[in-house]
Amino acid sequence: MDIYLFRDLARLNNTGNFSQAADQSNLSQSAFSRRIRSLESWIGVTLVDRSRQPVRLTTAGLQILEAGQQALERIEQERSQILEAQSLPDKYVVTFGAQHSIGWRFYPTWLQGFEETYGPILSRLRADDLPNCLRDLRNGDVDFVIAYESHHVRYSEQGTGPPESHPDKSGSLVIGYDSLIPVSKPQSDGNPLFSFSADKIEMPFLRFGEDAPIARHLEPLFKGAGLSARLRIVYENSMAGALRIRARDGMGVAWLPKSLVAPDMKAGILVQTGAPEWEVPLEIRLFRHKPNSNRVTRSIWSFLESQQSQPLKPGA
């Protein structure tokens, strides 16, 4: 259907006269009348009371005119925004969604390095739980999502990960590396307060909540190394920052992103504990929802594709 038929209907409503409305539309009266009748045919009811002069819209005509004008206004607004984003890419605000633990330290460092090579962009970060980030990506509320992947948890492959995953079946980009490491408050001699040195001694464990996607990266380690029996849960939170505070206070052991705790380890506030093989390597990937891309986001994506050989690492 021609959406501009609603403009014709509006002109007829304003003038009350087919001839005058046709002149305003730069059409012959017969052509204008055919357009109004085609709209009536599409709606399925009479929209114009032609039995009087000036003519008037019926109740149905007024109702559909209001709806049509609202739709036209929305379409025109969206069209203007799209054209502005396409013609003035420096005005477009790129929105990133990221897990809280990524947004805390990795994201600002990565963004600075990205802008130093690509050039400055207008951007904002929406830090949230991963399922919410992926939902926003599908809905077009964010342009990109930054998330962890590991050997055992792949959101970018069909058939793996939770149902809310797979934001972009055409793939994702590696933009950095990190790892989950067990950390503890140190003793006065610098050794870990919780060292796992003695067998069969339970360690107080600060764990991610079961619903936190980051916890899924640790499950294979705990199962394979038989750690579950050695860890006594004393605190649980879905946010890495909250676990970090409790670890610094000496409440227990936590597996946290190395990029997050690197400053604490450098300052001697936290130390790595446990066996070296208990470190869980992570990829940091950038996801997009291809149908929602535009000139700006496609340019960023293409640039990052060419830079995958130089991803950021923890502490960079």
Side-chain angles (χ1 to χ4, degrees):
M1 190 201 70
D2 184 355
I3 61 173
Y4 294 111
L5 291 175
F6 293 107
R7 287 184 175 173
D8 295 338
L9 190 63
R11 293 185 179 111
L12 184 58
N13 182 55
N14 292 335
T15 62
N17 184 279
F18 273 89
S19 178
Q20 293 178 22
D23 288 341
Q24 292 180 6
S25 300
N26 295 316
L27 295 170
S28 66
Q29 183 172 336
S30 59
F32 183 85
S33 296
R34 285 196 298 271
R35 288 177 61 81
I36 296 299
R37 290 192 181 280
S38 70
L39 181 58
E40 289 178 313
S41 176
W42 182 75
I43 299 297
V45 297
T46 299
L47 303 178
V48 182
D49 181 358
R50 297 172 174 81
S51 64
R52 64 178 69 187
Q53 290 294 331
V55 298
R56 295 180 182 179
L57 299 192
T58 63
T59 301
L62 292 171
Q63 180 180 345
I64 198 64
L65 175 60
E66 181 181 1
Q69 287 177 321
Q70 290 176 352
L72 276 171
E73 182 179 357
R74 175 66 187 277
I75 290 171
E76 290 292 347
Q77 288 176 350
E78 293 296 326
R79 177 176 179 270
S80 297
Q81 292 178 6
I82 291 170
L83 290 175
E84 181 179 6
Q86 295 291 321
S87 62
L88 299 172
D90 58 314
K91 303 290 186 181
Y92 185 80
V93 179
V94 181
T95 304
F96 294 89
Q99 295 167 269
H100 293 281
S101 50
I102 290 177
W104 193 293
R105 272 189 52 82
F106 175 84
Y107 172 77
T109 302
W110 172 81
L111 183 64
Q112 180 180 352
F114 167 74
E115 291 188 322
E116 286 175 354
T117 51
Y118 177 84
I121 63 172
L122 295 176
S123 64
R124 68 167 64 98
L125 173 68
R126 182 180 295 185
D128 204 340
D129 294 334
L130 181 58
N132 295 337
C133 291
L134 297 178
R135 178 204 62 206
D136 291 344
L137 183 66
R138 290 194 304 270
N139 293 341
D141 297 324
V142 300
D143 296 298
F144 300 106
V145 164
I146 305 175
Y148 294 122
E149 284 200 346
S150 65
H151 177 70
H152 297 283
V153 181
R154 292 286 181 188
Y155 299 119
S156 56
E157 294 177 359
Q158 182 70 21
T160 60
E164 68 271 13
S165 303
H166 324 308
D168 178 18
K169 294 179 182 179
S170 66
S172 60
L173 299 175
V174 177
I175 61 172
Y177 294 105
D178 208 334
S179 59
L180 292 170
I181 61 173
V183 293
S184 163
K185 181 180 180 178
Q187 302 181 72
S188 57
D189 61 3
N191 290 317
L193 181 62
F194 306 105
S195 66
F196 290 89
S197 57
D199 292 338
K200 299 183 180 180
I201 294 181
E202 288 187 341
M203 296 290 111
F205 180 36
L206 311 170
R207 80 166 185 176
F208 287 102
E210 292 182 352
D211 295 334
I214 195 170
R216 300 180 67 245
H217 301 286
L218 294 169
E219 291 172 1
L221 168 67
F222 292 168
K223 183 177 180 180
L227 285 170
S228 297
R230 297 203 59 189
L231 299 172
R232 175 172 50 87
I233 301 169
V234 297
Y235 181 74
E236 181 177 302
N237 200 296
S238 63
M239 297 183 64
L243 299 181
R244 173 188 177 217
I245 292 173
R246 299 305 187 278
R248 289 172 54 162
D249 289 342
M251 287 186 59
V253 176
W255 268 258
L256 296 173
K258 183 180 285 188
S259 63
L260 178 65
V261 299
D264 294 333
M265 296 177 66
K266 185 175 182 180
I269 300 173
L270 289 174
V271 292
Q272 188 165 349
T273 187
E277 59 268 24
W278 293 355
E279 182 171 335
V280 179
L282 299 173
E283 292 177 344
I284 303 177
R285 286 183 170 265
L286 185 81
F287 295 91
R288 69 170 176 175
H289 188 55
K290 194 172 182 180
N292 295 335
S293 63
N294 56 46
R295 182 190 301 177
V296 180
T297 58
R298 286 195 296 270
S299 173
I300 291 173
W301 186 267
S302 297
F303 176 81
L304 290 172
E305 276 187 316
S306 68
Q307 300 293 308
Q308 283 198 91
S309 61
Q310 301 174 341
L312 287 178
K313 295 180 173 59

